[in-house]
Amino acid sequence: QVQFVESGGGLVQPGGSLRLSCVASGSTNLWRMEWYRQPPGNQRELVATITRDGATFYADSVKGRFTITRDYGKNTAYLEMNSLQPEDTAVYFCNSSPTKYRWGQGTQVTVSS
């Protein structure tokens, strides 16, 4: 069974930056790693994807501001977030695809002045 542990969230002012980390334990052969977010009162949505060979996909709302990367040696995915806006406020989670595993606790990102 794969477990995900997210970290790196916090409170940041609009225009600021954060770097999230997601450590995956239990498997080193995840095909795609993905970042999701769940804003207050809303459903979880896909933010970014990175495949095993490094191809990336971004939701339109974060394209040009967020960057997903992956360190295979550390079995970790990262989400570099720049130019953060209040609408980016959410709990951020990671998971794999196409196989989904149990969701972790996530990490809270709050963008506010």
Side-chain angles (χ1 to χ4, degrees), residues 64-105:
R65 301 187 298 122
F66 290 10
T67 303
I68 186 171
T69 56
R70 189 171 178 176
D71 184 329
Y72 295 90
K74 296 181 180 179
N75 219 21
T76 300
Y78 302 96
L79 188 68
E80 185 77 34
M81 305 186 297
N82 297 312
S83 301
L84 283 163
Q85 300 302 318
E87 52 265 34
D88 295 317
T89 294
V91 180
Y92 285 71
F93 301 87
C94 65
N95 213 308
S96 63
S97 179
T99 302
K100 285 288 185 294
Y101 296 96
R102 185 174 181 175
W103 294 94
Q105 296 294 313

Side-chain angles (χ1 to χ4, degrees), residues 1-38:
Q1 188 63 271
V2 178
Q3 291 184 317
F4 301 102
V5 178
E6 303 92 348
S7 63
L11 173 64
V12 63
Q13 292 186 339
S17 300
L18 284 173
R19 187 191 193 212
L20 307 184
S21 299
C22 167
V23 179
S25 61
S27 173
T28 59
N29 197 31
L30 301 175
W31 177 240
R32 285 190 291 264
M33 291 191 74
E34 302 182 322
W35 281 98
Y36 292 78
R37 68 185 181 187
Q38 187 165 14

